[in-house]
């Protein structure tokens, strides 16, 4: 019989988590309004499938303003033709998100009065079997702006611009009805000088209304370029506070990491009090903020790194080959098992701590990692045996440790945690019960 | 004095970095891979510098009496431990910089790093930096190796640490000029590019404070045994490496640009040494000078 029988394991997906948790305002480009509306970018999610120089990038935005005001400018490394741009399925980002989300698992202690006393061994949870289930062209020569391509994809009207001067590009955008955030001009210049192009998208209202979409769908682009980077500087022009970016990096080799910032694993495999089950979103939010501050606000966090063939425990079912293709994975061979390694990076950035755009590299690192948080429920039934007392003492120590771990990870008030944790009291058996029971 | 040998200080400092890296920079380096790196470097060094010459000398001493010549006592020792110091430095360098999944990759890197000292020689001087050669060999020959340039971060604390410890070593070996020439040239090039692009200066500051760049500049670029002997040669050589690094990084987007630049330009040492001759560096120069029958080769 197993020491810790796993009754359930469950997961709170990060989608729920982030909708509750993160005051995110980010994008790798910037939104430009066509009306005088104060616009803020919301949590951005980007998926990048890359093998060699070939890249398919998916940008999912959860733009909150009026659709007719939506317009987006993103620097891209090459001129994108119509056939290299398409609209993705929003569900695929949700699938990537759910699959790679930090997860909460729970275990239930067995009755200590059953014959196997190994429960006293510390670290028993990790020794237990892994959980099985889970809930879980026209040219304006005076301005130096060239429209390299102009086309419509789905509900989007897209322009690919190249420019020679940032002031010309700024003027062109203003003349064409785009509202540029203040300070954007200086930031456009470095991209122009690096010979990058500008991907400008706005919503074709007629198409949007006709199709009856409720929200904007992700934009996908395919290109070849040795530049493996995400421009984040432009996205900081209209942000007032730190911004969150989740990047799903899909590779046939192994983990993807940043080369110009440290990539740090989020705290994982820690045991936390039972009550966190009901407030996992708050817990993760506080924990992330704490570790973000402890690292000086200048590192990127690895939340998940795994070969997508499997998962343990699974936050969501692995993506099918069809879903992987929808996520931009282009190297799958029919009939072969998909070789896709996913790295989920969570970058919370501000202008002063992240001065450079994000540069990535794919590595051969195949070490798996997941943000995993463990709840162990004590045995609450009747215990009538000598093993009960040591169990309760060990339990008390364990719960105190869980309280301290939680306080340390989240900076929550330790007394409040103790109150909420409703710690077990050791019920000592009177000595005479040994003979008079 | 043991510490007269700069290699000892270097071993101490590199071990300190490794300890700091493992404890504070949460690396993915595994202890077993550290052991493989150290074992492969030390074993290769012992085989090629002690065992092979020892066997050769034995064969020679066996042949000499046959030729009717009086036997000379072999001066080659089977266990000469001083030569292992350089190998230990190479091993620590590999541990700090190279990442891989398999033992074989680290063993290939370690053994080829040391073997390069014996294979690629000109006038009794090797011209590839062993650790750099090992890294490039692993990157080319396997699909399993990578270097993580971001993992040292950009902290002031590490900048100071590398500057002070690197400075101590460089003062001992007299190779300050190389690090300074490289860093000045690279800063100028990146600074000009930054100015031309129109980035704010904190972008440049962030690029230059990369711990990996400083570790390279102070601890890899300055290996006194493999770099040019004359000061002027070293400055030209370091500037050339800075220039090539700049091009590989910004034009070809290579995240490992510094290592490739050093690898490609290492053979330049031979040519520079023929133009500007200077005494070859010896680790135990001051100690050896006191010994009779020892002379230094000049290239």
């Amino acid at each position: 019989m197993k020491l810790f029988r796993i009754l359930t394991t469950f997961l709170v997906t990060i989608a729920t988590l982030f909708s509750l948790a993160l005051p995110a305002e980010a994008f790798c480009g910037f939104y430009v309004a066509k009306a005088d509306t104060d616009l803020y970018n919301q949590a951005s999610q980007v998926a990048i499938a890359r093998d060699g120089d070939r890249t398919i990038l998916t940008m999912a935005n959860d733009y909150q303003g009026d659709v007719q005001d939506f317009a987006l400018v993103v620097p891209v490394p090459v001129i994108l033709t119509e056939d290299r741009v398409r609209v993705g399925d929003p569900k695929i980002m949700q699938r990537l998100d759910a699959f790679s989300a930090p997860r909460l698992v729970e275990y239930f202690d067995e009755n200590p009065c059953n014959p196997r006393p190994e429960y006293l061994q510390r670290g028993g949870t990790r020794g237990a079997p892994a959980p099985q289930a889970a809930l879980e062209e026209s040219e304006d020569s005076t301005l130096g702006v060239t429209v390299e391509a102009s086309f419509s994809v789905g509900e989007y009207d897209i322009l690919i611009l190249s420019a020679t001067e940032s002031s010309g590009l700024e003027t062109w955008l203003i003349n064409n009805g785009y509202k540029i955030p203040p300070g954007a001009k200086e930031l456009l210049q470095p991209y122009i000088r690096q010979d990058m192009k500008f991907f400008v998208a706005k919503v074709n209202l007629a198409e949007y209304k006709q199709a009856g979409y409720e929200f904007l769908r992700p934009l996908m682009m395919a290109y070849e370029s040795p530049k493996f980077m995400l421009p984040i500087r432009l996205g900081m022009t209209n942000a007032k506070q730190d911004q969150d970016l989740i990047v799903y990096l899909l590779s046939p080799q192994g983990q993807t990491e940043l080369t110009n910032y440290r990539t740090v694993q989020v705290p994982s495999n820690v045991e936390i009090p039972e009550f966190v089950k009901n407030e996992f979103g708050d817990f993760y939010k506080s924990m992330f903020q704490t570790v973000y501050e402890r690292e000086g606000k200048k590192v990127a966090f690895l939340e998940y790194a795994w070969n997508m063939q499997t998962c343990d425990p699974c936050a969501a079912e692995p993506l099918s080959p069809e879903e992987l293709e929808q996520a931009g994975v282009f190297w799958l061979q029919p009939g072969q098992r998909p070789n896709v390694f996913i790295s989920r990076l969570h970058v919370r950035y501000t202008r002063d701590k992240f001065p450079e755009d994000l540069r990535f590299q794919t590595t051969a690192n195949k070490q798996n990692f997941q943000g995993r948080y463990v709840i162990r429920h004590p045995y609450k039934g009747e215990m009538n045996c000598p093993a009960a007392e040591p169990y309760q003492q060990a339990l008390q120590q364990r719960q105190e440790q869980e309280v301290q771990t939680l306080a340390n990870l989240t900076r929550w008030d330790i007394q409040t945690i103790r109150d909420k944790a409703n710690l077990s009291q050791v019920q000592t058996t009177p000595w005479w019960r040994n003979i008079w029971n | 004095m043991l510490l007269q040998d700069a290699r000892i200080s270097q071993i101490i400092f590199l071990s300190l970095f490794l300890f700091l890296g493992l404890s504070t920079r949460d690396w993915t380096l595994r202890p077993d891979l550290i052991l493989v790196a150290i074992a492969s470097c030390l074993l290769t060094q012992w085989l090629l510098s002690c065992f092979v010459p020892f066997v050769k000398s034995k064969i020679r001493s066996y042949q000499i009496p046959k030729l009717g010549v009086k036997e000379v006592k072999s001066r080659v020792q089977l266990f000469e431990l001083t030569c292992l110091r350089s190998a230990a430095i190479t091993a620590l360098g590999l541990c700090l910089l190279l990442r891989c999944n398999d033992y074989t990759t680290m063993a290939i890197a370690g053994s080829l790093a040391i073997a390069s000292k014996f294979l690629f020689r000109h006038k009794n001087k090797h011209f590839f930096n062993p650790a750099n050669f090992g890294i490039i060999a692993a990157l080319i020959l396997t699909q399993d190796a990578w270097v993580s340039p971001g993992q040292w971060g950009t902290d002031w604390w590490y900048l100071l640490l590398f500057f002070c410890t690197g400075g101590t070593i460089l003062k001992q070996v007299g190779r300050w000029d190389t690090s300074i020439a490289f860093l000045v040239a690279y800063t100028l090039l990146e600074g000009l590019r930054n100015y031309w692009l129109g980035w704010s200066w904190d972008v440049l500051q962030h690029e230059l404070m990369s711990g990996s760049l400083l570790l390279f500049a102070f601890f890899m670029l300055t290996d006194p045994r493999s770099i040019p002997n004359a000061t002027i040669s070293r400055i030209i050589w370091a500037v050339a490496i800075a220039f090539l690094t700049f091009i590989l990084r910004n034009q070809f987007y290579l995240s490992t640009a510094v290592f490739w630049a050093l690898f490609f330009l290492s053979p330049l040492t031979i040519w520079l040494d023929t133009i500007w001759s200077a005494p070859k560096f010896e680790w135990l120069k001051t100690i050896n000078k006191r010994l009779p029958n020892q002379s230094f080769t000049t290239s």
Side-chain angles (χ1 to χ4, degrees), chain A residues 189-191 193-194 226-227 233 257 259-265 298 351 355-356 361 363-367, chain B residues 24-26 28 101 143-144 146-151 153 155 196-197 199-200 202-203 206-207 253 255:
Chain A
Q189 186 185 320
Y191 297 108
R193 295 247 163 117
Q194 287 178 79
K227 288 181 190 170
R233 280 293 293 270
E257 61 183 23
T259 62
N260 54 351
Y261 296 95
R262 283 177 64 211
T263 308
V264 174
Q265 294 175 344
K298 53 187 176 186
R351 170 66 188 79
E356 282 189 271
Q361 72 170 3
T363 72
N365 187 358
K366 292 186 175 64
Q367 282 183 29
Chain B
T24 69
R25 304 274 97 168
D26 52 333
T28 45
N101 296 305
Q143 295 292 313
D144 183 50
W146 72 98
V147 175
S148 292
Q151 283 310 79
D155 292 322
W196 176 73
L197 288 177
W199 283 128
S200 50
D202 54 350
V203 174
H206 188 262
E207 277 176 7
Y253 308 99
S255 58

Side-chain angles (χ1 to χ4, degrees), chain B residues 134-205:
Chain B
I135 289 170
I136 296 293
L139 289 176
I140 294 174
L141 299 175
T142 74
Q143 295 292 313
D144 183 50
W146 72 98
V147 175
S148 292
Q151 283 310 79
W152 278 107
T154 52
D155 292 322
W156 281 104
W157 196 86
Y158 278 94
L159 183 134
L160 273 177
L161 179 73
F162 293 146
F163 193 80
C164 295
T165 49
T168 312
I169 305 277
L170 296 178
K171 190 162 176 277
Q172 269 182 293
V173 299
R175 293 295 181 265
W176 260 109
D177 41 26
T178 317
S179 290
I180 297 297
F182 172 78
L183 286 174
V184 167
Y186 190 69
T187 304
L188 272 174
L189 289 165
E190 286 288 355
L192 284 172
R193 179 173 183 271
N194 199 70
Y195 176 75
W196 176 73
L197 288 177
W199 283 128
S200 50
W201 289 106
D202 54 350
V203 174
L204 178 67
Q205 184 192 332

Side-chain angles (χ1 to χ4, degrees), chain A residues 248-433:
Chain A
Y248 310 102
L249 296 135
L250 307 170
S251 150
Q253 280 104 37
Q255 272 189 36
T256 304
E257 61 183 23
L258 285 168
T259 62
N260 54 351
Y261 296 95
R262 283 177 64 211
T263 308
V264 174
Q265 294 175 344
V266 287
S268 179
N269 287 328
V270 287
E271 291 184 10
I272 47 178
E274 284 178 285
F275 76 89
V276 176
K277 179 180 175 180
N278 299 322
E279 40 193 280
F280 185 58
D282 285 342
F283 158 74
Y284 193 79
K285 187 174 75 169
S286 302
M287 190 208 71
F288 191 87
Q289 182 65 24
T290 309
V291 68
Y292 165 69
E293 286 171 9
R294 277 190 190 143
E295 291 288 354
K297 304 186 176 184
K298 53 187 176 186
V299 305
F301 290 95
L302 182 72
E303 289 183 326
Y304 193 71
W306 216 273
N307 186 317
M308 292 186 81
Q309 285 178 9
T310 60
C311 42
D312 182 16
C314 289
E317 281 303 301
L319 277 70
S320 65
E322 294 73 30
E323 286 177 314
L324 287 170
E325 281 179 6
Q326 285 173 32
V329 175
F330 53 87
W331 55 83
L332 298 182
Q333 299 293 328
Q336 286 184 358
R337 294 188 77 184
N339 60 326
V340 183
F341 200 98
I342 183 171
S343 309
R344 175 194 175 110
L345 294 184
H346 184 168
V347 189
R348 179 170 291 176
Y349 59 92
T350 52
R351 170 66 188 79
D352 57 332
K353 301 289 184 183
F354 277 79
E356 282 189 271
D357 286 332
L358 305 178
R359 286 179 175 226
F360 300 96
Q361 72 170 3
T362 305
T363 72
N365 187 358
K366 292 186 175 64
Q367 282 183 29
N368 290 334
F369 173 78
Q370 57 185 339
R372 176 174 173 273
Y373 309 91
V374 181
I375 282 178
R376 293 171 67 189
H377 298 282
Y379 180 75
K380 288 177 179 151
E382 193 172 339
M383 294 173 274
N384 288 318
C385 67
E389 195 174 318
Y391 166 75
Q392 285 187 322
Q393 280 170 351
L395 175 65
Q396 202 171 33
Q397 280 178 12
R398 184 181 91 195
Q399 289 182 326
E400 176 58 26
Q401 186 60 49
E402 289 169 357
V403 165
Q404 293 192 9
T405 305
L406 183 62
N408 183 36
L409 283 177
T410 58
R411 291 192 184 140
W412 287 349
D413 175 50
I414 197 158
Q415 197 50 50
T416 315
I417 295 175
R418 282 212 176 88
D419 293 345
K420 282 188 177 177
N422 192 20
L423 299 180
S424 308
Q425 296 300 315
V426 176
Q427 296 165 1
T428 50
T429 314
W431 56 270
W432 61 87
R433 284 269 169 86

Side-chain angles (χ1 to χ4, degrees), chain A residues 101-158:
Chain A
R103 58 215 61 201
L104 182 67
V105 293
E106 64 179 345
Y107 300 85
F108 289 79
D109 285 357
E110 287 200 339
N111 185 346
C113 296
N114 74 35
R116 290 180 58 182
E118 293 99 305
Y119 57 83
L120 290 175
Q121 293 171 7
R122 292 198 58 79
T125 307
R126 281 178 205 134
Q132 297 298 310
L135 301 176
E136 3 199 346
E137 194 115 2
S138 65
E139 184 171 354
D140 190 328
S141 56
T142 53
L143 294 174
V145 176
T146 309
V147 179
E148 302 283 359
S150 167
F151 49 87
S152 295
V153 176
E155 65 268 39
Y156 295 101
D157 287 335
I158 288 158

Side-chain angles (χ1 to χ4, degrees), chain A residues 195-212:
Chain A
D195 200 26
M196 291 180 81
K197 313 300 171 196
F198 295 88
F199 179 96
V200 182
K202 59 184 175 181
V203 175
N204 181 326
L205 285 173
E207 178 69 27
Y208 182 78
K209 283 174 183 160
Q210 190 186 345

Side-chain angles (χ1 to χ4, degrees), chain B residues 36-71:
Chain B
V36 171
I38 293 172
S40 59
C41 285
L42 295 185
L43 191 65
T44 314
Q45 177 77 39
W46 176 77
L47 277 174
L48 297 178
S49 71
C50 298
F51 184 73
V52 173
F54 180 78
V55 171
K56 276 184 182 170
S57 74
K58 284 287 170 200
I59 294 170
R60 203 182 304 126
S61 63
Y62 174 74
Q63 287 170 340
I64 286 169
K66 276 189 176 175
L67 296 169
V69 184
K70 197 181 171 186
E71 188 179 353

Side-chain angles (χ1 to χ4, degrees), chain A residues 30-97:
Chain A
F30 56 71
Y31 292 121
V32 287
K34 291 194 80 173
D36 283 337
T37 318
D38 268 346
L39 294 176
Y40 292 105
N41 312 337
Q42 298 297 313
S44 13
Q45 295 183 70
V46 177
I48 306 175
R50 184 171 165 99
D51 184 15
D53 280 358
R54 294 180 177 176
T55 308
I56 292 184
L57 185 142
T58 311
M59 297 183 294
N61 52 76
D62 55 351
Y63 173 77
Q64 305 286 306
D66 191 340
V67 170
Q68 67 178 356
D69 293 336
F70 173 87
L72 168 75
V73 177
V74 180
V76 287
V78 292
I79 293 172
L80 294 165
T81 49
E82 182 172 357
D83 54 344
R84 286 170 178 264
V85 179
R86 62 174 294 168
V87 175
D89 184 348
K91 282 183 187 153
I92 208 65
M93 294 305 256
Q94 291 166 13
R95 288 283 287 127
L96 284 172
D97 187 6

